[in-house]
Amino acid sequence: MRIAFFEVNELEEEYLKKKLDGHQLKFSNEKLTLENVQQINDFDSISVFIYSKIDEQITREIPNLKLITTRSTGFDQIDLETCKKQGITVCNVPSYGENTVAEHTFALILSLSRNMCKACIRRFEQDFSIEGLEGFDLKGKTIGVIGTGQIGLHVIRIAKGFGMNVVAYDVHQNKLLSEVLGFEYISLENLLAESDVITLHVPYMKATHHLMNKDTFKLVKKGALLINTARGSIVDTEALIDALDKKILAGAGLDVFEGEEVIKEEKQLLYDPKNLEVLTNLVKDHILLSKDNVVFTPHIAFYSKEALERILETTVENIAAFVLGKPQNVV
Ligand code: NAI
């Protein structure tokens, strides 16, 4: 097969070259766009990460495209309907890092609950005072887990280790695991009202777009923390800023936020000033990230050595299975 990999670094390239010997391969550290798609328009497979938006315009430019592998769990960057119509198989990496993302979730929670970021910044200012750095214990607090799939369940296991009470909300409930792990499924409304820490682990889709919005923030227990390691657009940024300003939330820990892909490439906006919506979102993001009770990481919840190895292994297996006519991890 002719396979084009986008958003890969040199180490990943080395690994893939070894494992996919016999295929014609092309590598780019850029995301796939309408600008660079011409370089691979005779390829029959592409492999991307989350910043390459795959829509009809892109797939039209690659007429022989048969297989897309995304090196991520989420696949909301790919227009599945278009792929289905065009007979393109799409495979993801369903589980590579439930512990990885869950551990990062707790890194964000602890950064807020124990003022880690504030304390680190003070050190650089030679300020060793403890005023304003009083934290709070997680033991005995209630964590509300929205989405009890692979990652959410691992978050629950860790939360139990901290001695937290766990409540959860999911459209599909796993009653057996709720008994085994000792947590309770409740309605979204009750979860928001009862939780000291709310953490999001649902996929991004129509039903979860702005799940946290002006109305749902009104239901949140005053002084709660919101953690988002799922996808940015699950939270309405404007409503989040408002909830922080009104002190409904005491803090937010964000690995993802709306428009994160734009903030990474802000300079490009200088050449596209007509995009008012993008600019407006960018301003909101800057307001959000300038708050000292917002802890932010640049979409790295998945980014551990072990998880990266598992992602590449599964991607190679996905390609091999497709070549054998037995595609796996099809979404
Ligand atoms: P999963 O598919 O195992 O679990 C998702 C859960 O959400 C399921 O239990 C499902 O029933 C539930 N759900 C779906 N729609 C819902 C709704 N409308 N309301 C309530 N619950 C709903 O997914 P997994 O592996 O736990 O990952 C969750 C998300 O985390 C991914 O979709 C991805 O977007 C994000 N993610 C982020 C990473 C990062 O680096 N920040 C890395 C990996 C995943």
Side-chain angles (χ1 to χ4, degrees), residues 125-331:
E125 292 162 353
Q126 299 296 311
D127 177 355
F128 301 105
S129 64
I130 66 167
E131 279 79 38
L133 295 183
E134 183 188 87
F136 65 86
D137 289 353
L138 293 184
K139 186 177 174 194
K141 298 290 184 310
T142 297
I143 185 168
V145 179
I146 301 181
T148 54
Q150 313 239 29
I151 296 169
L153 285 173
H154 208 84
V155 165
I156 292 172
R157 287 188 192 99
I158 299 177
K160 284 283 166 184
F162 275 96
M164 300 183 84
N165 307 315
V166 182
V167 292
Y169 168 71
D170 197 305
V171 282
H172 300 114
Q173 304 191 351
N174 191 331
K175 293 272 191 237
L176 179 68
L177 273 180
S178 81
E179 274 173 36
V180 174
L181 294 175
F183 69 92
E184 193 191 350
Y185 280 109
I186 58 176
S187 68
L188 179 63
E189 291 74 16
N190 287 344
L191 180 148
L192 297 176
E194 289 176 23
S195 302
D196 302 293
V197 180
I198 299 160
T199 183
L200 302 170
H201 301 290
V202 288
Y204 177 67
M205 49 171 98
K206 250 192 202 150
T208 58
H209 176 77
H210 287 184
L211 182 81
M212 292 308 299
N213 55 47
K214 273 210 163 77
D215 293 328
T216 44
F217 274 120
K218 278 186 198 145
L219 305 173
V220 167
K221 181 177 180 179
K222 207 169 165 61
L225 302 179
L226 177 74
I227 309 296
N228 189 5
T229 58
R231 282 291 182 270
S233 300
I234 296 169
V235 180
D236 177 350
T237 309
E238 206 170 321
L240 173 59
I241 293 171
D242 193 52
L244 287 161
D245 285 344
K246 289 186 175 146
K247 304 208 179 329
I248 294 172
L249 289 177
L254 309 173
D255 185 53
V256 291
F257 58 89
E258 281 187 296
E260 64 187 80
E261 60 286 348
V262 178
I263 219 160
K264 274 178 183 251
E265 290 162 30
E266 244 171 64
K267 273 195 218 134
Q268 283 187 10
L269 286 174
L270 295 174
Y271 307 102
D272 188 16
K274 62 187 178 299
N275 202 336
L276 202 63
E277 194 192 330
V278 175
L279 278 174
T280 312
N281 286 337
L282 196 61
V283 172
K284 285 185 208 162
D285 288 341
H286 277 289
I287 295 172
L288 182 64
L289 298 186
S290 66
K291 291 185 179 296
D292 73 350
N293 55 351
V294 172
V295 173
F296 156 74
T297 51
H299 206 137
I300 55 166
F302 74 98
Y303 198 45
S304 75
K305 183 175 180 289
E306 294 80 3
L308 287 179
E309 282 166 9
R310 288 192 291 266
I311 289 173
L312 290 181
E313 269 166 30
T314 306
T315 300
V316 167
E317 285 164 16
N318 285 350
I319 293 168
F322 181 83
V323 171
L324 288 174
K326 292 179 183 162
Q328 63 169 32
N329 298 325
V330 176
V331 294

Side-chain angles (χ1 to χ4, degrees), residues 5-8 47-49 69-73 93 311-312 315:
F5 287 86
F6 290 87
E7 305 173 79
V8 278
S47 179
V48 295
F49 188 53
T69 53
T70 179
R71 300 186 307 281
S72 59
T73 302
V93 183
I311 289 173
L312 290 181
T315 300

Side-chain angles (χ1 to χ4, degrees), residues 78-143:
I78 301 169
D79 180 347
L80 289 186
E81 239 169 72
T82 291
C83 291
K84 200 171 170 194
K85 266 191 232 152
Q86 298 181 4
I88 301 165
T89 303
V90 181
C91 304
N92 75 336
V93 183
S95 65
Y96 63 85
E98 57 270 27
N99 67 297
T100 310
V101 179
E103 286 172 24
H104 195 82
T105 302
F106 270 84
L108 292 171
I109 296 173
L110 289 165
S111 296
L112 290 163
S113 68
R114 304 313 297 264
N115 292 303
M116 291 295 178
C117 290
K118 281 187 200 165
C120 285
I121 291 167
R122 283 190 187 187
R123 181 194 55 171
F124 291 116
E125 292 162 353
Q126 299 296 311
D127 177 355
F128 301 105
S129 64
I130 66 167
E131 279 79 38
L133 295 183
E134 183 188 87
F136 65 86
D137 289 353
L138 293 184
K139 186 177 174 194
K141 298 290 184 310
T142 297
I143 185 168

